[in-house]
């Protein structure tokens, strides 16, 4: 089982959304989860995880599936010397028992080890980093996710779900 998770912010607070799916190439969701929190912490450069991690962990406590991997919108590692990003902090918070795959839509300066994944006909890559599994395996999983476009179907779905509930 796999889970994609994303967070969206509005004046009302943060909304974490997640979708569980069985196979990496699946286009169908087994279950959706929504978690709303109060006002989000202010963004502090270099400490993005402090803003997102509490909402992610709260939502994950409601998931009743054993997960092979969690896919997040962002980075696991932020530099070649493995400075932890949101994904690494999540992996650690989960006692390093569930793999975390970071799928970012833009390059993060100083993170040359992110694997560029091209999907569909897009000439713009996704940037994949991982903890708990080999980087190339994570990149292959993202490359093989369902959907003909740059952004896999279920990553796009969870983003829309979070936005719609944040209203």
């Amino acid at each position: 089982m796999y889970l994609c998770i994303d967070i969206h912010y509005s004046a009302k607070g943060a909304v974490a959304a997640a979708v569980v799916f069985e196979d990496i190439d699946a286009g169908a969701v087994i279950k959706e989860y929504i978690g709303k929190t109060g006002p989000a912490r202010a963004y502090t450069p270099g400490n993005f995880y402090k803003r997102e991690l509490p909402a992610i962990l709260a939502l994950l406590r409601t998931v009743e599936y054993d997960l092979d991997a969690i896919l997040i919108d962002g980075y696991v590692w932020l530099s070649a010397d493995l400075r932890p990003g949101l994904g690494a902090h999540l992996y650690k918070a989960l006692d390093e028992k569930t793999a975390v795959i970071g799928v970012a839509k833009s390059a993060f300066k100083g993170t040359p080890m992110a694997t560029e994944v091209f999907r569909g006909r897009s000439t713009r890559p996704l940037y994949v980093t991982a903890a708990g599994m080999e980087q190339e395996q994570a990149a292959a999983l993202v490359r093989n996710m369902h959907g003909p476009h740059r952004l896999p179907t279920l990553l796009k779905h969870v983003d829309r779900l979070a936005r719609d509930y944040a209203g």
Side-chain angles (χ1 to χ4, degrees):
M1 295 288 198
Y2 298 90
L3 179 138
C4 294
I5 194 162
D6 202 358
I7 297 182
H8 187 72
Y9 302 94
S10 73
K12 300 175 190 174
V15 171
V19 295
V20 173
F21 54 104
E22 191 167 2
D23 295 310
I24 204 65
D25 60 351
V29 171
I30 292 175
K31 187 159 184 178
E32 295 178 346
Y33 294 88
I34 300 293
K36 296 182 179 185
T37 67
R41 291 184 183 187
Y43 170 70
T44 306
N47 290 301
F48 179 66
Y49 75 95
K50 289 182 179 178
R51 183 175 182 168
E52 298 224 335
L53 191 58
I56 290 172
L57 291 173
L59 186 62
L60 287 176
R61 284 192 282 278
T62 69
V63 174
E64 66 267 3
Y65 295 93
D66 290 326
L67 301 170
D68 296 306
I70 297 170
L71 291 93
I72 63 163
D73 178 9
Y75 280 87
V76 174
W77 306 108
L78 299 176
S79 64
D81 63 352
L82 302 181
R83 183 167 54 103
L86 172 62
H89 288 285
L90 175 59
Y91 182 64
K92 185 176 180 181
L94 298 173
D95 296 324
E96 300 180 355
K97 292 180 180 173
T98 304
V100 176
I101 302 170
V103 183
K105 295 180 275 303
S106 58
F108 188 83
K109 186 178 180 180
T111 308
M113 82 298 200
T115 301
E116 292 184 350
V117 172
F118 292 89
R119 291 179 37 88
R121 295 183 176 163
S122 180
T123 57
R124 294 176 29 228
L126 295 170
Y127 300 89
V128 177
T129 52
M133 77 169 47
E134 293 296 322
Q135 180 88 5
E136 286 307 316
Q137 180 186 4
L141 289 174
V142 172
R143 193 175 295 111
N144 292 315
M145 288 181 77
H146 183 271
H149 303 292
R150 177 179 181 241
L151 198 60
T153 302
L154 296 180
L155 286 174
K156 189 172 187 174
H157 178 80
V158 76
D159 175 73
R160 177 56 46 207
L161 193 61
R163 288 175 191 271
D164 288 350
Y165 275 89

